[in-house]
Amino acid sequence: MINEEYRGAQQWSRNKQAAFTVIWISFLSAAIATMVFFAIFDPIELGAIFDAELEITHDAGYAAGFFFFWVLCAICSSVTAFLVRTAPKRDAKHRQQ
Amino acid sequence: MYESAKKIYPREIGGRFDKLSKLATIALLGLFYFLPWLLWDERQAILFDLPARKFYLLGLTLWPQDFPYLALLLIIAALSLFFFTALAGRLWCGFACPQTVWTEAFIWMEQLTEGTRSQRMKLDKAPWSLAKFRKKASKQFLWITFSMWTGFTFIGYFTPVRELGADILALNIGGWTLFWGLFYGFATYGNAGYMREQVCKYMCPYARFQSAMFDKDTLIISYDEKRGEPRGGRKRSVDHKAAGLGDCIDCQLCVQVCPTGIDIREGLQYECIACAACIDACDSIMDKMNYPRGLVRYTTEHSLQSKTTHVVRPRMLVYATLLLILVGGLVTAMASRTPVILDVIRDRNSLYRELPDDLVENIYTLKIINQSNDARSFTLSVSGLEGLLLDGIDGEVHVDGGGVLSLPVRIRARRDDASGVNEILFGIEATDDASVVMEEDSRFIGPTP
């Protein structure tokens, strides 16, 4: 039976699900954040504020900004996922009381 | 505890919706690969020039200051998605989503090199041989070439594509360009070649919340249970109604063609991307059995319950009204957009300077951005205080097309007229077009008596 071939299959483990969801959603959020941020700030002007000696190109500035946002969003996203998954279950708590 | 993902081998099926989906794939991918090469006034028609911080969209040049338009456009896109979802279900998923479209293309290349569904399943089970290696290698060659081309095209939206093409041929390509090209190419390869329906199932937010837009009048793909059950095999010659059977012959074709590996007969499932392959599959069987088509079909829950389906309903009206307001707003805003921007920055180093003859002076930097593509001259004015004097400019200022001019100006006023903090207004007006005006307020500070 074809059905049997699929049943219970094609499931990612919870860790894999969490990892890929975090990567993808933080990627999307970082893309939006990068757009908004660099629509307001020019990376070259920003670089000059931090360090007058610093010479960066636009490309490098945008890339650095994007990866910064990606990492930040990924941390935020994975901590949230972790807390949600490891939270004590309500039922278990009721039973203890 | 958890089984690893089993590979899905979607079976190829011809039919009405297969034709439609192929058409959508060709049209959308065609647009994607062709658009960067399109010219407009001898420059690339669509170019997001990040280093210059300008977006070229056909005849339009957008600046970072125009970001609100982009935000509005994204909101309109999201709302349209809601509107069409409420109306016709997951049309987006089945026909227009890049994930679906590229997966289609990759599966097509897979069929080209590895053959039909059963041939592919056999090939994967078979031990490694020269023939298997040859097939797998040609598939990888096609996939990788296509992915690299995709990455290159993606970069072409951000870097002038003609120069980029020449650079690549000369193997003279910048570090970041190469990185983003490979990045996008690899993402395409992974998503369309391997992850496929898993992206929709596990990673797509829209797939999870689209059901919130659904109601009983939304177009869905559904199996007609009343007509199909009890399912079961039978000979073509048998009068199945007399034998107590429904129209479903339980051939499993609808399951085999499903790219997400579900059984549509189990009801509406969030994994279903509404690609309509099962409709084509079932219709082909119904034709063979000489039963009427449409055992699996586009329908609504109301229609399945033999009730009337309403296209116009409060939800649709709300979405449509919001859409109209936003689109109207965007069009009005774009039409009334002034092609010049004036920024006024007060000198931070000193509040004011006292001059002989009872005069006070403030210093400002004016930033004039000429958003039109032609050079323009502007006249400057300042108002808000009695006897304001503009110093440092002789008559008109000239700004190149698409250029930014930073202009230091000194403003003077009589000490008696300008005590404390005073609101003043700077204005510019194009000399060739009196409707191109822009005003910006600032402050003039004088000594407090």
Side-chain angles (χ1 to χ4, degrees):
Chain A
M1 289 286 282
I2 305 296
N3 249 347
E4 292 307 311
E5 253 173 54
Y6 291 137
R7 189 151 292 146
Q10 346 140 23
Q11 297 222 331
W12 279 4
S13 72
R14 289 196 75 84
N15 284 336
K16 193 173 173 187
Q17 277 181 46
F20 276 95
T21 312
V22 163
I23 290 171
W24 172 235
I25 298 303
S26 51
F27 175 88
L28 285 182
S29 314
I32 295 171
T34 310
M35 279 199 305
V36 178
F37 185 82
F38 288 117
I40 304 171
F41 303 105
D42 185 329
I44 291 193
E45 286 170 17
L46 276 186
I49 292 173
F50 286 122
D51 183 355
E53 306 281 295
L54 192 69
E55 277 185 29
I56 55 164
T57 60
H58 273 111
D59 281 358
Y62 293 133
F66 173 72
F67 283 110
F68 169 76
F69 283 124
W70 197 1
V71 169
L72 189 72
C73 293
I75 291 171
C76 170
S77 210
S78 41
V79 171
T80 308
F82 172 77
L83 289 182
V84 169
R85 278 175 54 187
T86 53
K89 290 213 170 60
R90 267 183 83 190
D91 287 347
K93 199 179 159 198
H94 279 299
R95 252 176 260 129
Q96 275 173 12
Q97 279 170 351
Chain B
M1 187 170 172
Y2 299 103
E3 281 184 68
S4 64
K6 227 178 240 178
K7 196 169 157 188
I8 293 176
Y9 299 86
R11 180 174 171 149
E12 45 292 325
I13 183 87
R16 292 179 288 162
F17 294 106
D18 180 59
K19 279 204 192 84
L20 198 63
S21 121
K22 285 212 168 75
L23 204 69
T25 303
I26 290 168
L28 291 170
L29 286 186
L31 267 183
F32 175 79
Y33 292 104
F34 165 73
L35 276 182
W37 298 93
L38 189 69
L39 288 180
W40 187 280
D41 281 350
E42 288 178 24
R43 62 164 175 72
Q44 197 167 321
I46 296 176
L47 177 66
F48 302 99
D49 191 344
L50 294 178
R53 296 172 64 75
K54 281 179 210 168
F55 288 179
Y56 300 102
L57 261 177
L58 306 180
L60 208 67
T61 306
L62 293 174
W63 292 65
Q65 288 83 352
D66 294 319
F67 183 79
Y69 297 126
L70 183 68
L72 199 55
L73 198 67
L74 290 178
I75 295 172
I76 290 174
L79 207 59
S80 320
L81 187 63
F82 292 179
F83 178 82
F84 283 109
T85 306
L87 183 72
R90 297 172 69 173
L91 278 185
W92 166 261
C93 297
F95 297 97
C97 177
Q99 180 65 25
T100 305
V101 167
W102 262 294
T103 299
E104 265 300 291
F106 271 61
I107 288 181
W108 177 76
M109 285 181 264
E110 197 166 64
Q111 283 169 9
L112 204 68
T113 48
E114 293 184 358
T116 61
R117 174 175 193 265
S118 45
Q119 286 171 326
R120 295 203 299 273
M121 291 169 97
K122 230 161 87 188
L123 185 73
D124 278 357
K125 284 200 189 104
W128 278 99
S129 65
L130 200 63
K132 180 171 176 174
F133 178 78
R134 210 194 58 227
K135 283 181 183 168
K136 290 275 174 195
S138 16
K139 177 178 87 177
Q140 291 298 336
F141 173 76
L142 284 182
W143 277 9
I144 291 171
T145 314
F146 192 67
S147 301
M148 290 301 108
W149 184 35
T150 308
F152 162 73
T153 306
F154 178 72
I155 295 295
Y157 281 92
F158 301 94
T159 312
V161 76
R162 281 151 213 274
E163 292 162 36
L164 181 67
D167 282 352
I168 287 177
L169 290 180
L171 294 178
N172 172 31
I173 177 171
W176 282 114
T177 311
L178 184 68
F179 171 79
W180 287 116
L182 290 177
F183 184 93
Y184 198 83
F186 177 74
T188 309
Y189 174 83
N191 279 322
Y194 293 98
M195 311 246 283
R196 294 186 181 173
E197 78 287 344
Q198 315 281 1
V199 174
C200 315
K201 272 171 72 174
Y202 296 119
M203 289 157 68
C204 179
Y206 172 69
R208 298 282 173 89
F209 70 65
Q210 41 80 25
S211 60
M213 268 87 74
F214 273 50
D215 54 32
K216 291 188 167 172
D217 292 313
T218 300
L219 205 59
I220 51 169
I221 291 172
S222 180
Y223 164 68
D224 192 339
E225 208 174 313
K226 272 190 280 184
R227 194 185 134 190
E229 300 296 320
R231 66 183 82 161
R234 80 286 309 263
K235 285 208 178 88
R236 264 185 74 177
S237 49
V238 171
D239 179 0
H240 62 290
K241 283 187 182 129
L245 283 170
D247 278 359
C248 175
I249 65 165
D250 207 11
C251 64
Q252 305 281 352
L253 202 63
C254 56
V255 182
Q256 291 176 22
V257 297
C258 180
T260 65
I262 58 168
D263 187 340
I264 191 69
R265 296 170 300 173
E266 284 168 12
L268 192 60
Q269 293 147 78
Y270 92 89
E271 291 95 335
C272 172
I273 59 167
C275 68
C278 50
I279 300 186
D280 281 340
C282 191
D283 279 352
S284 74
I285 296 298
M286 292 296 109
D287 288 354
K288 274 190 199 132
M289 298 299 292
N290 273 329
Y291 299 165
R293 283 183 168 194
L295 180 57
V296 178
R297 64 172 185 272
Y298 270 111
T299 180
T300 66
E301 264 188 74
H302 270 153
S303 160
L304 280 174
Q305 296 163 358
S306 316
K307 290 180 187 155
T308 331
T309 299
H310 305 275
V311 177
V312 181
R313 47 196 198 271
R315 178 194 296 267
M316 300 309 300
L317 290 177
V318 170
Y319 287 150
T321 316
L322 280 176
L323 257 179
L324 277 178
I325 293 173
L326 286 177
V327 171
L330 182 68
V331 171
T332 323
M334 290 297 284
S336 57
R337 170 175 173 262
T338 338
V340 63
I341 290 177
L342 173 67
D343 270 333
V344 180
I345 304 150
R346 240 189 132 263
D347 184 34
R348 281 178 219 146
N349 295 324
S350 64
L351 284 177
Y352 58 86
R353 218 154 64 98
E354 291 187 76
L355 302 173
D357 301 330
D358 276 345
L359 287 175
V360 188
E361 183 181 79
N362 279 207
I363 298 174
Y364 306 83
T365 305
L366 304 188
K367 230 177 165 183
I368 303 171
I369 305 172
N370 178 7
Q371 292 188 321
S372 67
N373 295 324
D374 307 310
R376 262 201 164 125
S377 295
F378 299 93
T379 50
L380 253 83
S381 63
V382 60
S383 60
L385 269 183
E386 195 119 338
L388 276 180
L389 264 173
L390 220 148
D391 194 19
I393 303 129
D394 297 324
E396 297 169 3
V397 290
H398 187 80
V399 190
D400 291 335
V404 182
L405 179 74
S406 267
L407 194 68
V409 294
R410 298 195 293 272
I411 305 289
R412 289 179 192 158
R414 293 179 51 81
R415 176 203 268 273
D416 301 339
D417 298 330
S419 64
V421 178
N422 307 279
E423 298 290 326
I424 58 166
L425 196 65
F426 285 90
I428 51 171
E429 185 184 317
T431 50
D432 61 327
D433 185 350
S435 71
V436 180
V437 285
M438 177 85 186
E439 289 183 328
E440 181 73 16
D441 51 10
S442 187
R443 291 181 307 169
F444 189 93
I445 300 177
T448 339

